[in-house]
Amino acid sequence: MAVGARSGHEGPEERPERSEETVPPAAEDAVPPGDGSGDHDGGNGAGKDGGNDGRNDSGKERDAGGDAKAPNKPRSFWKELPLLIGIALVLALLIKSFLVQAFSIPSDSMQNTLQQGDRVLVDKLTPWFGSEPERGEVVVFHDPDKWLAGEPTPNPNAIQTALSWIGLMPSSEEKDLIKRVIGVGGDTVECKGTGPLRVNGKALNEPYVYPGNTPCTMDDGGGQFKVKVPEGKIWVMGDHRQNSLDSRYHQQDEHKGFVPVGNAVGRAIVVAWPPTRWSTLPVPDTFDQGLTAAAPSALGFVGAVPLVLWRRRRLTVGNTRVSGSRTAG
């Protein structure tokens, strides 16, 4: 304790000397104390080395920075062109298969709504989500049973075939037709005389029918009819009633004139070409008058209600009489 006290208070305060443990003997031998030339040489050596290291490091940084900031050489347009064409073809195929497809109108059966040579865009997306054709829609459908037998088949060239394959032109090989949906599963469609056309007993106001035509035709080939549309089928007719071989004139085929819902390609939504004919294809207002046929179960329920009420009234009256007789007795 005395030594500790004495060393703590003796003389002026000085920096503590380095102990032998903190300064290795090798370091003391390499740099003799008091040798200024050694210190100077060591300082110069350190400085030179440090300077060289700094220059080397900065050079490396400049090289790295230069490599990182140097712009990549752009590819040649001719090298990128095949890739762009490939992407465009894939997108066109996807659009044709799942979204929309162009179709050409080959006849006058849908005048004046559609003219021969018009190009329409058909919605192919909604059928993927379970949507089925509705009354009043203009739909494209595959030939159900040789409706197009005897019709001339176009002979496209190689370019037209390629464009139709990717959906940029209508396909000439597909046997498709376009008509208006008049009745769906469960509907009763009827034509008497020259019209009007009736669906489930309600007359249709059809301003889209070709001027000068009557809604129904007076002929023995199928113009006069009364049919009930089976479930999963549709009844279709052209707007040019006197110039359309539609469901009326195929009642002797496999499907009796009806078109299976599975044959529907999609709904025509827009007349896209020529530009002067651009228009949409909405559902006419006449199909919004509540044409849905009453289900047999609903009719049975409506018919049973009066019978049940009459029976309840009769039982109630009978119970009253019995109760009165008991009271009187």
Side-chain angles (χ1 to χ4, degrees):
M1 291 179 64
V3 173
R6 187 170 54 250
S7 62
H9 295 279
E10 253 185 13
E13 184 176 356
E14 295 179 354
R15 292 183 179 180
E17 296 179 357
R18 295 182 179 178
S19 64
E20 296 179 355
E21 296 178 356
T22 57
V23 181
E28 292 179 355
D29 294 340
V31 183
D35 192 351
S37 61
D39 292 342
H40 179 70
D41 292 339
N44 289 341
K48 291 178 181 178
D49 294 338
N52 291 336
D53 293 340
R55 284 194 296 271
N56 293 337
D57 293 341
S58 61
K60 292 178 181 178
E61 291 175 1
R62 282 196 298 270
D63 293 341
D67 292 340
K69 295 180 181 179
N72 294 329
K73 185 178 179 180
R75 289 184 179 181
S76 170
F77 170 75
W78 299 109
K79 291 182 178 179
E80 291 188 349
L81 184 59
L83 177 62
L84 295 176
I85 294 176
I87 294 174
L89 291 176
V90 171
L91 290 176
L93 286 172
L94 291 175
I95 291 173
K96 172 189 174 182
S97 301
F98 302 105
L99 297 179
V100 295
Q101 184 176 355
F103 286 86
S104 177
I105 306 304
S107 69
D108 297 328
S109 66
M110 283 296 293
Q111 285 181 323
N112 273 335
T113 304
L114 299 173
Q115 300 289 348
Q116 186 173 354
D118 284 352
R119 301 290 193 273
V120 296
L121 297 182
V122 174
D123 169 25
K124 300 180 70 174
L125 178 63
T126 51
W128 286 92
F129 295 94
S131 175
E132 295 185 356
E134 299 290 343
R135 303 182 196 92
E137 294 180 350
V138 177
V139 297
V140 172
F141 55 93
H142 299 311
D143 189 341
D145 188 21
K146 300 179 182 179
W147 287 21
L148 294 175
E151 294 290 332
T153 302
N155 186 21
N157 56 38
I159 296 177
Q160 292 173 332
T161 301
L163 291 177
S164 65
W165 183 72
I166 62 176
L168 298 179
M169 282 190 66
S171 174
S172 60
E173 297 180 357
E174 295 179 356
K175 301 297 183 180
D176 298 322
L177 301 98
I178 184 166
K179 306 290 180 187
R180 189 180 299 276
V181 178
I182 301 299
V184 296
D187 289 344
T188 299
V189 185
E190 180 180 8
C191 256
K192 286 185 178 180
T194 58
L197 178 64
R198 296 180 179 275
V199 177
N200 297 326
K202 295 183 180 181
L204 297 182
N205 176 27
E206 300 183 282
Y208 47 81
V209 170
Y210 186 76
N213 282 189
T214 55
C216 299
T217 55
M218 298 285 292
D219 61 69
D220 297 332
Q224 304 292 293
F225 63 89
K226 183 177 182 180
V227 297
K228 184 173 182 179
V229 185
E231 294 297 331
K233 305 287 182 65
I234 54 177
W235 180 268
V236 297
M237 297 174 68
D239 290 354
H240 197 164
R241 293 291 160 81
Q242 271 73 45
N243 189 22
S244 177
L245 295 177
D246 45 41
S247 290
R248 297 170 292 172
Y249 302 103
H250 293 90
Q251 297 184 54
Q252 305 304 319
D253 69 5
E254 177 184 356
H255 303 288
K256 302 185 183 302
F258 304 108
V259 178
V261 170
N263 281 43
V265 176
R267 175 187 172 185
I269 53 177
V270 172
V271 180
W273 190 265
T276 55
R277 292 271 304 150
W278 192 95
S279 61
T280 59
L281 297 171
V283 175
D285 294 337
T286 189
F287 292 93
D288 294 332
Q289 56 176 317
L291 299 175
T292 303
S297 58
L299 291 175
F301 176 77
V302 172
V305 168
L307 180 61
V308 171
L309 293 177
W310 174 79
R311 183 176 177 80
R312 283 177 58 85
R313 185 172 180 275
R314 184 178 179 184
L315 291 175
T316 302
V317 172
N319 288 339
T320 303
R321 290 176 179 175
V322 171
S323 177
S325 63
R326 286 180 180 178
T327 304

